[in-house]
Amino acid sequence: MAMAENLFGRSRQRLTLLYSIVMIVFLVLLLFVMHMTMEWSITSEQARELMDTAESVSDAQGYLNQHPELTIDDNVLYKSTNDRLFFYVFDSDGRLLNFARASFRIEPFILDEMQNWKTPEGEVAVFTKHGENGRKTKVMMTAKHVAGMGLVDSSLQTVYVGKDVTAMYNGMEKATYALAILGVIALIIATAVGHVLSGRAMVPLKTAYEKQRQFAADASHELRTPLSVVMASAELLQNDPSITSPFLKQVIDDVRDEVKKMTKLVGDLLVVARSDNKALKLKPSKFELAGLIEQTARLMQPLAEQKNITLRAEGLKKTDIQADEQKIRQLVLILVDNAVKYTPEGGTVTVFMPQAEKGHVKFAVSDTGIGIAKEDQEKVFDRFYRVDKARSREMGGNGLGLAIAQEIVNLHKGHISIASELGKGTTFIVDLRAKVKTGKLPKVVPQTE
């Protein structure tokens, strides 16, 4: 159950994270598009106003050039402007002919930009003035040559029209910030809703998983008795002297071997099902770890000798720990059995105890076997996962051994890690949190061929 909760909890978190990332990308794009749209719509209207004003001022200046006897009235040129609009009319020698002045605060900046004017006629440019107090002032300007209306030199007169658009840009910036804040709030709400909905989406999956898990537990429990009966029957037939046919004896041996494999698989399934139901309970007791490791290695010695594999236990220190002795024994047996299975003939399997932090104890099983690819190392502890499926079936593997090993380590609040390289071997390192008392082991007998 704990594993199922962790599995579905991680899946729910991943769904929520993925949903949040999609929403963030969508929000950023939406804000960018909205900001650019607002800027385009506002600036295009301002630009059209400036172009119309420049056209009006140019026509009025051309009319004054044609009738020099008229008295210049500022209102003639200024009537189409407002308090933020301004214009300046210069001749080719840089003399100021007419103007509607800008604010004294920005006028020097505007005159400098006019002297360095490079924007083509009919286009609008936005200039930014940085104040000493860090404030920015934005000015939008355009230029237009005065219509000649029969005067040869009037084409050399230029009208510069501009407008202080700082307030417009500040308003647009504040609107963008407001939209961003609202977007973040909406994102938080959407993420919370997504988390709730992803939890609801997991309900049918969890139900199906629970039914499957319960079926595995029930089936494993129910299969133990008939398998035991079949095994006993096979052993009786194997010892029956009346059966003399070599073919029948071979059939009985094959049946017995297959029943043994099925019995082991059913036992492993029952362990896994009990771990899901939190039915696996620790029975801690004080025992000596190095002696347990050495004894387990001796039990595996015949299997190693069948493959001409050197199995050794070395670097063991007398270590008294408080843990479940039977489960630690099963853990060592699983790791050593796995190492022997995947080590070719003539290889070496070593069980040792590396240095551990205070309050921890470590032991490791290393082999010179086929190794595990990096992309498979995180998956080897998954149930029923086998790196080489054909080879695992040939050796009787069912893909549950390492999953059970990890469950045992987790029950002891420990950690199991793997270091492997293809073609060079694999090392499994178990780190357990335990109250330990170390000392010298009186006698360590290394295992030989």
Side-chain angles (χ1 to χ4, degrees), residues 228-246:
S228 299
V229 173
V230 174
M231 175 63 76
S233 301
E235 289 177 349
L236 286 173
L237 290 173
Q238 194 176 35
N239 297 323
D240 190 345
S242 64
I243 299 177
T244 58
S245 170

Side-chain angles (χ1 to χ4, degrees), residues 31-243:
L31 286 174
F32 176 77
V33 172
M34 290 184 67
H35 178 80
M36 297 302 295
T37 303
M38 285 192 300
E39 184 175 4
W40 171 80
S41 61
I42 295 175
T43 53
S44 62
E45 286 300 313
Q46 296 295 324
R48 186 180 61 81
E49 181 183 8
L50 285 182
M51 297 297 293
D52 291 344
T53 303
E55 185 73 26
S56 299
V57 174
S58 175
D59 291 343
Q61 184 63 40
Y63 182 79
L64 289 177
N65 290 336
Q66 189 178 13
H67 303 280
E69 72 279 3
L70 294 177
T71 302
I72 298 177
D73 183 2
D74 288 345
N75 289 331
V76 173
L77 301 180
Y78 196 62
K79 61 182 180 181
S80 62
T81 65
N82 58 36
D83 57 342
R84 291 187 178 274
L85 273 169
F86 56 85
F87 71 85
Y88 296 84
V89 182
F90 291 93
D91 63 11
S92 58
D93 296 326
R95 289 179 299 180
L96 181 62
L97 303 179
N98 288 313
F99 62 89
R101 298 184 67 175
S103 168
F104 290 103
R105 179 174 55 86
I106 61 173
E107 189 174 48
F109 168 71
I110 291 170
L111 294 175
D112 288 341
E113 292 297 337
M114 290 177 184
Q115 289 181 355
N116 301 315
W117 190 265
K118 295 180 181 179
T119 305
E121 184 177 0
E123 294 186 11
V124 176
V126 178
F127 304 96
T128 303
K129 176 182 180 297
H130 297 275
E132 295 180 356
N133 56 359
R135 296 179 59 183
K136 295 180 181 179
T137 301
K138 288 188 175 291
V139 178
M140 184 181 292
M141 295 177 60
T142 187
K144 183 176 178 57
H145 295 302
V146 176
M149 298 185 69
L151 297 177
V152 178
D153 60 346
S154 62
S155 61
L156 300 178
Q157 296 178 358
T158 305
V159 175
Y160 298 93
V161 179
K163 185 177 182 180
D164 185 353
V165 292
T166 305
M168 180 195 71
Y169 274 90
N170 288 344
M172 188 167 54
E173 187 175 341
K174 289 179 180 179
T176 302
Y177 286 149
L179 287 173
I181 293 173
L182 291 175
V184 170
I185 295 173
L187 177 64
I188 294 173
I189 296 174
T191 301
V193 172
H195 186 69
V196 173
L197 293 179
S198 62
R200 291 185 179 181
M202 289 292 171
V203 171
L205 296 178
K206 291 173 72 174
T207 302
Y209 180 85
E210 287 300 319
K211 290 181 179 179
Q212 182 184 11
R213 179 197 55 75
Q214 190 61 46
F215 170 78
D218 295 342
S220 301
H221 182 75
E222 294 298 327
L223 283 172
R224 296 183 73 184
T225 300
L227 284 174
S228 299
V229 173
V230 174
M231 175 63 76
S233 301
E235 289 177 349
L236 286 173
L237 290 173
Q238 194 176 35
N239 297 323
D240 190 345
S242 64
I243 299 177

